Amino acid sequence: KPPLTFAFASQTGTGAEIARNLAAEAVEKGYKAQCMSLTELGYAALTSGRTPYLVIVASSTGDGDPPDNSGAFFVALRKKQEGKPLVGVKFTLLGLGDSNYTRFMYVSRAIKGRLLDLGAAEFYPCAEADEVDGIESVVDPWSEGLWTALDADIAPQKDQAADQVRRARTFGHRGRVLGTGRKWTGDEWRRHKLDPGGMYSPQQPFWAHISDARYETAFWSDRKVLHLELSIRGSNIAYSPGDAIGVLPANHPDLVANLCKRLNLNADRVFYISAPKDTSQAGDAASEAGEAAPATPAGRPATHIPSPCSIGYAFANCVDLTSPARKSLLRLLAEHAHDASEKRTLLFLSAKGGKDAYAHEIAEHQPSLLDLLVRFPSVTPPLDALLDALPPLAPRMYSITSSRRDSAKGPNRLSVALSVVRFKTRYGTRLGVASAWLDRLASPWTTEGISNPANPVWVPIYLRRSADFKPPADLSSPLIMVGPGTGVAPFRGFLQERRALIRENKSVGEAVLFFGCRREDEDYIFKEELELMKAEGTLSALHVAFSRAQETKVYVQDLIKAQGEKVWGLLQAGGYLYVCGDGAAMAKDVHAALIAVAGTHGGLSEADATAFLQNLTRERRYVRDVWS
């Protein structure tokens, strides 16, 4: 059978997990398979000889941007080329997306279209899975049908023995330890490397430092919203309202130390990573010699881990240790379980027949990797295989809450607001990786009795520009903003920009904000600023929904319907509508409220109201920045 290549563009790890599971199933079915990110694969590898059958699982991030592990491939694919260089390459593609976003399925559709333009052929119909509807209803039947399509397209080779096939490894057997007592200096070399264009990335971030921090919620609330101000002086970063920053977080040091102890690993031990000799057949890849492998050669696996790297740094900064274990990780743990009962349990949780058990034991209770290793004490996975199976520690995106035009702070300060995540599981209290890390870094500013530190507190960041979630170019256009909770964060930046323009005697249209929280004295974030902006005219109207202040709960969608005549009038006058916040419930309820407003005040049927909002979306006048 010809080799299969499974490649993914995945920011949160969902796409990578689907691709890995398909690759593992391919091996079980007797195929020679390899699985990697699109950037690790590289556009140059797309040939009829090396990748005759290509299966891609692709998602988008931000507002239609390619995930970090596919950016280089995406750029190379879209470059102008002559002829049909991909003739002979057969592919299929599974797109993952969230229809709450304006550029739904942008990356997957762009990849598919470009592959077809360059001569590749679709051997199995591509599919699109929408997070809003639940991706399983599309992913499962598409995955099942893949094998039938392959068998129909490939002439079976019945005499091929299964033992000729082995799984691809991206790491080698072991790393190399540098001289006794010598420690790796970590990422210190990356700090303060400035880009004249302010173009930073997860691979080369700008190291901002905290200049101020405060809590926006009451001390007694079980909700904690942290407002963080960063100095970006010297970075050349020129952000705009609606943009976001990516923050590169770190796992809790106690978790890293306990994991190293459980695995009997020295956190200071150093290893190298090198590219397989033949990228079409990945083999053992760690350097056994004393020479360091290049930091990021073309096609090198695991580009989210630097080379050389210490074990402690990899666990702290490069891999996700706390997200619910993917089934590919459970299979790896089962492979290295010495107790038969533990092996059976892990294999059952990772099998199709254990779907309900996985949903309860893993997805619901969310054990960390360390929790699983404590529960299954006979499991001793080797470092190379473990690092291969763990997903990258993803950057966290936070909307910028400030404007460079703000006279109080100026262009060298940037601020964000975030909820500090904390919840309980059967394994104990779980903390959000990034939010708890930032909360710890900000403690000198947020804890009474502690003076500000003498040395800077660094936070690695990069700018992610927004394609559509930004104030309209025509300042006279009316503005409707809907942002409950921390969804109001980008609108603070919108309004600071607007205030500066008004002070420059620019003519601006009306601006209305719908905000929601529990109670006025608990979590009405930016209360003083928003009410001042209303008083001074930056805001034309401020509508606040308090869900717990009275017996009947009131939400932003209720206020939108109550102000329906005004909302409809602003939309008819060419207004722009922005929604930011929870996409699982709030965004849907707001959308339903808008349909109701169009029916009540515009006389539209439900179908016509839906079409009206779809048209606003196409015109970039109805833009949502939401998360599930």
Side-chain angles (χ1 to χ4, degrees), residues 247-271:
V247 173
L248 308 184
N251 288 307
H252 198 289
D254 292 346
L255 175 62
V256 173
N258 290 330
L259 182 61
C260 287
K261 183 178 180 180
R262 164 62 178 82
L263 294 171
N264 195 28
L265 294 172
N266 178 359
D268 293 331
R269 181 184 176 194
V270 174
F271 60 88

Side-chain angles (χ1 to χ4, degrees), residues 345-574:
T345 301
L346 288 164
L347 287 175
F348 178 68
L349 288 171
S350 64
K352 290 182 179 179
K355 181 178 180 180
D356 292 340
Y358 177 88
H360 176 68
E361 296 285 337
I362 306 299
E364 178 182 346
H365 293 294
Q366 301 188 36
S368 68
L369 171 63
L370 181 60
D371 293 330
L372 291 172
L373 291 173
V374 170
R375 178 182 172 184
F376 301 102
S378 78
V379 174
T380 55
L383 176 65
D384 60 334
L386 184 60
L387 290 177
D388 187 22
L390 289 169
L393 183 57
R396 272 40 172 195
M397 308 307 300
Y398 297 109
S399 297
I400 297 173
T401 68
S402 54
S403 166
R404 299 176 69 245
R405 292 175 178 266
D406 180 49
S407 59
K409 299 295 183 179
N412 293 318
R413 299 290 178 92
L414 171 155
S415 59
V416 296
L418 56 118
S419 294
V420 180
V421 177
R422 183 185 183 94
F423 59 97
K424 291 184 178 180
T425 73
R426 67 158 58 163
Y427 298 94
T429 300
R430 182 78 74 241
L431 303 176
V433 174
S435 62
W437 172 69
L438 290 170
D439 193 30
R440 292 195 302 273
L441 293 181
S443 60
W445 289 268
T446 58
T447 306
E448 290 187 16
I450 299 180
S451 58
N452 292 355
N455 296 317
V457 177
W458 302 106
V459 179
I461 68 170
Y462 63 97
L463 181 66
R464 171 153 281 168
R465 296 199 179 278
S466 174
D468 298 312
F469 199 88
K470 53 189 176 185
D474 184 356
L475 302 178
S476 65
S477 299
L479 198 59
I480 304 170
M481 298 164 284
V482 184
T486 53
V488 78
F491 300 134
R492 180 176 181 262
F494 278 36
L495 293 171
Q496 285 188 359
E497 182 90 354
R498 178 181 172 87
R499 180 171 56 193
L501 293 171
I502 291 173
R503 290 174 177 174
E504 295 174 7
N505 296 318
K506 299 288 179 64
S507 177
V508 297
E510 291 189 62
V512 178
L513 173 63
F514 292 91
F515 173 69
C517 61
R518 288 178 175 176
R519 301 177 184 86
E520 184 173 5
D521 61 346
E522 181 182 0
D523 55 345
Y524 186 173
I525 65 177
F526 305 128
K527 177 179 184 293
E528 292 78 10
E529 290 180 75
L530 294 177
E531 292 184 348
L532 177 60
M533 287 178 176
K534 171 61 174 67
E536 67 186 12
T538 302
L539 265 173
S540 308
L542 173 62
H543 304 289
V544 183
F546 299 112
S547 62
R548 307 289 177 83
Q550 61 284 315
E551 185 175 346
T552 302
K553 293 183 177 181
V554 178
Y555 297 104
V556 287
Q557 59 266 27
D558 300 314
L559 297 187
I560 288 172
K561 286 188 280 190
Q563 298 293 322
E565 183 177 0
K566 182 65 174 179
V567 170
W568 181 252
L570 292 177
L571 291 177
Q572 291 300 106

Side-chain angles (χ1 to χ4, degrees), residues 157-278:
Q157 299 177 23
K158 296 182 179 179
D159 59 339
Q160 192 161 7
D163 61 356
Q164 292 179 321
V165 183
R166 65 187 181 87
R167 293 172 184 257
R169 291 286 189 200
T170 57
F171 284 83
H173 176 64
R174 59 182 178 272
R176 177 169 177 80
V177 182
L178 296 181
T180 304
R182 182 177 176 183
K183 291 187 177 182
W184 183 59
T185 57
D187 57 5
E188 296 291 335
W189 66 274
R190 297 198 303 170
R191 297 192 179 184
H192 310 302
K193 292 187 73 174
L194 302 181
D195 185 282
M199 301 298 292
Y200 300 93
S201 67
Q203 295 73 34
Q204 184 59 64
F206 173 74
W207 288 80
H209 66 83
I210 298 175
S211 56
D212 197 11
R214 67 177 184 270
Y215 293 129
E216 286 286 341
T217 44
F219 72 90
W220 48 266
S221 176
D222 62 347
R223 288 185 175 179
K224 186 188 290 186
V225 174
L226 175 67
H227 182 254
L228 193 66
E229 185 179 286
L230 302 173
S231 171
I232 56 171
R233 183 178 298 277
S235 68
N236 300 307
I237 292 176
Y239 67 89
S240 301
D243 290 345
I245 57 167
V247 173
L248 308 184
N251 288 307
H252 198 289
D254 292 346
L255 175 62
V256 173
N258 290 330
L259 182 61
C260 287
K261 183 178 180 180
R262 164 62 178 82
L263 294 171
N264 195 28
L265 294 172
N266 178 359
D268 293 331
R269 181 184 176 194
V270 174
F271 60 88
Y272 298 102
I273 306 169
S274 59
K277 293 180 181 179
D278 181 0

